[in-house]
Amino acid sequence: NAGVTQTPKFRVLKTGQSMTLLCAQDMNHEYMYWYRQDPGMGLRLIHYSVGEGTTAKGEVPDGYNVSRLKKQNFLLGLESAAPSQTSVYFCASSPRPGLDETGELFFGEGSRLTVL
Amino acid sequence: AQRVTQPEKLLSVFKGAPVELKCNYSYSGSPELFWYVQYSRQRLQLLLRHISRESIKGFTADLNKGETSFHLKKPFAQEEDSAMYYCALALSGGYNKLIFGAGTRLAVHP
């Protein structure tokens, strides 16, 4: 049981290049999330998905696109990378919670992206 | 606006000393608050949530709505408590969306 797996773990891009981060979870969770973490700041929600085929914007969605074609996978795309997107990206998944409660998030190990 | 503030970047204590990691929040409704922890070379993981009022690894946290705080406490710190601690607030609208504070690094010295 690997939990949440992110690939790649490290990547260096040049400004204007595109790339995709892959998140895979084997816990059959309904919800999945992409966060970014910058020095001195908390994790900020980029996009999230509440089920296969659905996606929604979080706090900082600009410059990113996502897709959830399969329940276990959540892809984060950068169409034209910018230095401001240099960050550590975390994927997380969560089961659908019970009524009136917030579920636990299960995190991947993070992907460090540098845009030159 | 919804916001989580952890005023301390680093908290350094000696083994056996009491620990208090501060967290303040801004939220207009009824908040759901959490503490997550990241040990060295491990993933971010849930430590405790205010709604369950539980004690995990000796840590407790009480929600104080009057002071809009959710401080994490432990009476006697252990070296294995050294880690990054993040306070988190559930966003309105459900779906387990959380916002996180910037985190506090706890260093427990022998």
Side-chain angles (χ1 to χ4, degrees), chain A residues 22-104:
Chain A
L22 169 64
C23 178
Q25 53 98 0
D26 60 3
M27 296 173 283
N28 200 35
H29 286 169
E30 291 293 329
Y31 302 164
M32 295 187 75
Y33 315 83
W34 276 108
Y35 284 88
R36 62 176 288 175
Q37 185 179 34
D38 301 300
M41 301 182 72
L43 280 75
R44 292 183 292 168
L45 183 63
I46 305 171
H47 286 281
Y48 64 100
S49 167
V50 299
E52 181 178 312
T54 73
T55 63
K57 294 180 180 179
E59 301 173 80
V60 289
D62 294 341
Y64 304 95
N65 56 75
V66 288
S67 65
R68 184 129 180 244
L69 299 179
K70 294 183 179 181
K71 184 177 182 179
Q72 64 267 34
N73 296 337
F74 194 30
L75 278 64
L76 178 71
L78 286 72
E79 292 181 341
S80 179
S84 60
Q85 294 177 304
T86 293
S87 189
V88 180
Y89 291 86
F90 288 95
C91 178
S93 70
S94 172
R96 186 188 299 274
L99 190 64
D100 293 330
E101 67 179 23
T102 299
E104 176 180 354

Side-chain angles (χ1 to χ4, degrees), chain B residues 61-102:
Chain B
D62 290 320
L63 176 60
N64 185 324
K65 291 186 179 180
E67 296 184 356
T68 60
S69 69
F70 187 57
H71 302 330
L72 183 68
K73 299 178 183 179
K74 185 171 183 177
F76 307 103
Q78 302 299 316
E79 289 180 67
E80 55 265 31
D81 296 329
S82 296
M84 279 293 295
Y85 291 82
Y86 295 92
C87 183
L89 168 70
L91 292 172
S92 57
Y95 302 124
N96 296 347
K97 302 190 305 291
L98 302 182
I99 57 170
F100 289 80

